[in-house]
Amino acid sequence: MESATVSRPIRQAVIEKDRALFSRQPNLTDYAAVRANFDWSSARTMLDGLPGGQGLNIAHEAIDRHARGRRADRVALRWLGKAGARRELTYRDLQRATNRFANALSGLGVAAGEAVFVLLGRVPELYIAVLGALKAKCVASPLFSAFGPEPIATRLDIGAGKVLVTTEVLYRRKVEALRPRLPNLGQVILIDDGPPIAGTVRWSALMMAASEEFVIPSTGPEDMALLHFTSGTTGRPKGAIHVHEAVVTHHVTGLYALDLHDDDIFWCTADPGWVTGTSYGIIAPLTHGVTTLVVEEEFDAQTWYGVLAAERVTVWYTAPTAIRMMMKLGAEAVRGYDLGALRFMASVGEPLNPEAVVWGVEAFGQPFHDNWWQTETGGIMIANFLALPVKPGSMGLPLPGIDAAIVERTSDGGVRVIDEPMVQGELALKAGWPSMMRGYLHEEERFRKCFVGPWYLTGDLAKRDADGYFWFVGRADDVIKSSGHLIGPFEVESTLMEHPAVAEAGVIGKPDPMAGEIVKAFVALKPGYAESEGLRRELLGHARRHLGAAVAPKEIDFRANLPKTRSGKIMRRLLKARELGLPEGDISSLESDER
Ligand code: AMP
């Protein structure tokens, strides 16, 4: 295999690489030297900026600068649709299409700074809409198409969505009935053709009428570009604000953490409804001018191997749940495919088991390279790099330009950096990299609480070893990671409480060998309702209808009462400890409790 980069493919504490076997010179070889010489303002010179010194716009860096140069006719997006459909857009094609969409938005009276939401599967229109909105200086917000009506309406409401781009089916199923709750939503654009539907316009008509010439207006690096929703333990979802300057991080991390080279065929399997699918499914590969694959089908191991082989994918960015599902089929299932082009594999989103890293060597001749980041950081912060040794189970080393530390909170409200190796604390990053969130929309207080002195506190617990590698321990809060999707227990509890039978609900993440965690709910019923299998199924159905399959609980148990603090907060931690048979910890604040 051309790309075999591993000299000792056996289970071991450190996987060393034989550099003689790399098919290309990695972008980062001398980690210490690159780190020492790195600064973000010099990194910005890797990008062009808008012509005439008009600032920095993500869409210009991703599309227009290539469309004007030698990459104009290179395939930017290669879309593999369901049932064998295939469509390619060169950088020039993408420039024209996004110009049209930017003009269409102006034609609809949508102004700079207004939010354009996209609720679509992985189809070319999604990419055109997001990038076209960025050209028009609108705020782009992709939503996961498997969300149910509630999460969609909540996010459109928080973000004051002015425009929604979706399909007729998704609109009818998930949005139409909720429209009266969304007074800001002025325009719904349906990407498919069909007879008129009140309150919507059709994509093709809009695009046909729009000019394919568009000049990106002057864009400040701090102008808001993207709104990505994430979840906390309590309250509504948080809209993390990202600005155009974030593109500097997208580009630099594409260079160092994903090792993107000019001629790569890159495949990020994440859905753009989540931040990975935007930062690395749309922006980073395009700023590097590579060909990026968009695969509409959901996961299926054999289909994915077929795509890797047939499309000659060189760099593959995927996620632990998918890797674990592939492992289940065994390395043998990979054998029939020619994966000789594949030279780098990375993973993100949830803990990657050490076995999975090593299995990469067995099945693909190279390890999976785990990396770490989150919605708030906008881009990869900690990574296992191609040219460096991989420690299976570790998230790797901080990117050049990123200072990461393990800290503990002190009694005076500050934090102390823990220097001793392998001592657990909270993972913190020194604030100031370009893709750091600039706020949670309308939630100044929640945003402020993330920072102590120079540090941004990530909410993750971790350790650092003597070589500087970071090791994930768990979340400091109650949010749930299921198949890589971050789920706020409060959103699930609120929906369950809307059912007439439910008096109280508490939701936890229950460990699962495939999905990492599954959502499990505990409910106490109102007087007059009795627990039964029928009611359990009804509640599961209710949650699925309102929240969508990706967010709804997979299991519901009944309880006579839920453990609560004296102030009435449900103690999810205790529910979880009991579910898992773990020690109950400090229960001094426990008020009511009937098990
Ligand atoms: P999100 O904001 O949805 O991208 O979720 C971010 C969270 O996912 C992080 O704060 C971590 O809890 C988890 N996460 C992301 N990458 C990793 C990783 N490589 N290992 C362990 N947890 C991860």
Side-chain angles (χ1 to χ4, degrees):
M1 182 183 285
E2 181 205 1
S3 59
T5 57
V6 172
S7 53
R8 288 186 288 138
I10 44 171
R11 177 184 289 264
Q12 52 198 346
V14 180
I15 299 176
E16 302 283 351
K17 319 278 183 66
D18 181 346
R19 292 188 181 181
L21 294 174
F22 290 130
S23 58
R24 247 169 218 73
Q25 173 73 8
N27 290 328
L28 186 145
T29 46
D30 189 341
Y31 174 76
V34 174
R35 254 188 97 75
N37 295 318
F38 187 90
D39 72 84
W40 285 109
S41 48
S42 313
R44 202 178 151 178
T45 62
M46 292 182 200
L47 299 170
D48 285 3
L50 285 169
Q54 294 294 300
L56 187 68
N57 184 294
I58 295 174
H60 174 79
E61 302 306 328
I63 309 170
D64 289 9
R65 69 174 180 141
H66 305 310
R68 295 209 180 104
R70 64 184 173 85
R71 291 192 183 92
D73 295 318
R74 176 138 209 235
V75 174
L77 287 186
R78 175 170 298 146
W79 175 69
L80 309 182
K82 289 185 179 152
R86 194 180 170 91
R87 192 173 152 199
E88 290 187 342
L89 288 156
T90 63
Y91 278 91
R92 200 195 306 273
D93 296 335
L94 198 54
Q95 180 185 39
R96 289 180 181 146
T98 50
N99 282 353
R100 280 184 191 272
F101 190 72
N103 282 319
L105 288 175
S106 315
L108 290 172
V110 184
E114 292 186 316
V116 175
F117 278 70
V118 181
L119 177 71
L120 289 171
R122 290 178 297 277
V123 293
E125 288 82 357
L126 183 159
Y127 299 77
I128 295 165
V130 168
L131 291 160
L134 293 174
K135 282 190 166 178
K137 291 182 61 181
C138 292
V139 177
S141 188
L143 293 177
F144 190 40
S145 58
F147 276 154
E150 269 312 316
I152 293 169
T154 307
R155 286 158 180 77
L156 277 166
D157 178 37
I158 295 171
K162 181 78 190 269
V163 176
L164 176 68
V165 184
T166 188
T167 64
E168 184 170 334
V169 169
L170 289 171
Y171 179 68
R172 292 272 199 215
R173 263 200 223 142
K174 304 188 179 190
V175 183
E176 196 171 24
L178 297 174
R179 218 155 155 192
R181 270 169 56 184
L182 302 167
N184 290 305
L185 187 59
Q187 307 287 348
V188 173
I189 302 171
L190 303 178
I191 65 161
D192 26 24
D193 288 324
I197 297 177
T200 70
V201 284
R202 297 282 175 180
W203 172 274
S204 57
L206 271 180
M207 292 290 273
M208 222 130 51
S211 160
E212 59 182 36
E213 300 297 326
F214 185 82
V215 177
I216 299 178
S218 166
T219 308
E222 290 299 314
D223 284 348
M224 191 167 159
L226 295 156
L227 183 64
H228 283 298
F229 286 90
T230 185
S231 299
T233 303
T234 55
R236 304 222 295 171
K238 302 179 277 191
I241 297 169
H242 290 286
V243 297
H244 279 273
E245 199 197 11
V247 69
V248 181
T249 306
H250 299 144
H251 190 77
V252 165
T253 52
L255 184 74
Y256 292 139
L258 300 177
D259 197 56
L260 291 177
H261 283 64
D262 196 56
D263 56 352
D264 273 320
I265 309 282
F266 175 71
W267 183 22
C268 168
T269 61
D271 193 282
W274 306 94
V275 71
T276 305
T278 302
S279 294
Y280 298 98
I282 307 180
I283 301 170
L286 295 179
T287 69
H288 281 271
V290 308
T291 295
T292 188
L293 273 190
V294 176
V295 178
E296 189 182 14
E297 280 291 2
E298 292 310 321
F299 172 81
D300 169 74
Q302 301 289 350
T303 309
W304 279 26
Y305 299 150
V307 168
L308 289 169
E311 304 302 328
R312 310 289 299 157
V313 172
T314 55
V315 178
W316 183 30
Y317 194 21
T318 188
T321 297
I323 297 170
R324 287 190 288 264
M325 282 154 86
M326 289 185 266
M327 281 174 79
K328 214 165 115 185
L329 289 183
E332 275 310 305
V334 188
R335 299 274 180 257
Y337 298 89
D338 173 7
L339 304 180
L342 187 61
R343 61 177 193 83
F344 186 64
M345 315 194 301
S347 164
V348 73
E350 34 167 340
L352 183 63
N353 328 48
E355 300 76 28
V357 176
V358 177
W359 182 76
V361 180
E362 187 193 339
F364 298 93
Q366 56 190 310
F368 284 101
H369 294 76
D370 188 19
N371 61 50
W372 177 96
W373 60 291
Q374 52 181 197
T375 305
E376 288 86 342
T377 72
I380 301 168
M381 298 283 109
I382 295 175
N384 284 285
F385 298 93
L386 171 59
L388 300 189
V390 168
K391 297 192 185 189
S394 161
M395 308 186 288
L397 297 161
L399 266 284
I402 300 300
D403 287 320
I406 302 297
V407 303
E408 65 177 353
R409 295 177 193 253
T410 52
S411 52
D412 61 358
V415 295
R416 180 185 84 84
V417 174
I418 302 174
D419 285 321
E420 306 80 44
M422 292 316 261
V423 175
Q424 179 178 319
E426 190 166 350
L427 177 61
L429 305 166
K430 202 163 271 174
W433 67 95
S435 67
M436 191 181 88
M437 67 162 168
R438 298 299 197 267
Y440 290 128
L441 197 64
H442 315 311
E443 302 233 43
E444 184 54 35
E445 180 62 14
R446 261 174 136 181
F447 175 67
R448 219 178 35 74
K449 278 192 175 150
C450 300
F451 297 87
V452 177
W455 296 105
Y456 162 69
L457 300 174
T458 65
D460 278 4
L461 302 174
K463 299 176 186 174
R464 198 189 54 196
D465 70 18
D467 298 326
Y469 280 68
F470 284 81
W471 298 76
F472 182 80
V473 174
R475 290 285 308 188
D477 58 18
D478 290 337
V479 295
I480 299 160
K481 258 278 154 133
S482 186
S483 301
H485 304 150
L486 198 75
I487 296 167
F490 183 76
E491 203 170 9
V492 181
E493 289 159 2
S494 307
T495 294
L496 285 169
M497 303 268 291
E498 279 161 21
H499 190 280
V502 175
E504 292 172 341
V507 167
I508 64 161
K510 176 179 167 185
D512 179 82
M514 279 300 140
E517 291 182 311
I518 57 160
V519 178
K520 170 150 194 173
F522 298 87
V523 299
L525 297 174
K526 285 189 184 148
Y529 289 90
E531 59 183 81
S532 69
E533 199 40 45
L535 183 54
R536 186 199 316 276
R537 273 204 300 275
E538 187 181 319
L539 291 176
L540 286 167
H542 163 87
R544 235 182 126 88
R545 250 188 336 277
H546 290 273
L547 295 166
V551 182
K554 299 268 181 298
E555 291 180 12
I556 296 183
D557 275 6
F558 297 107
R559 291 282 183 276
N561 199 356
L562 299 181
K564 283 189 284 298
T565 62
R566 281 185 203 105
S567 57
K569 262 172 46 185
I570 289 171
M571 296 177 79
R572 300 186 189 112
R573 186 177 49 78
L574 195 53
L575 281 170
K576 188 163 179 168
R578 287 175 180 171
E579 171 72 17
L580 305 180
L582 298 173
E584 296 194 352
D586 177 9
I587 51 168
S588 54
S589 59
L590 185 63
E591 166 73 4
S592 55
D593 190 21
E594 260 173 51
R595 295 172 67 172

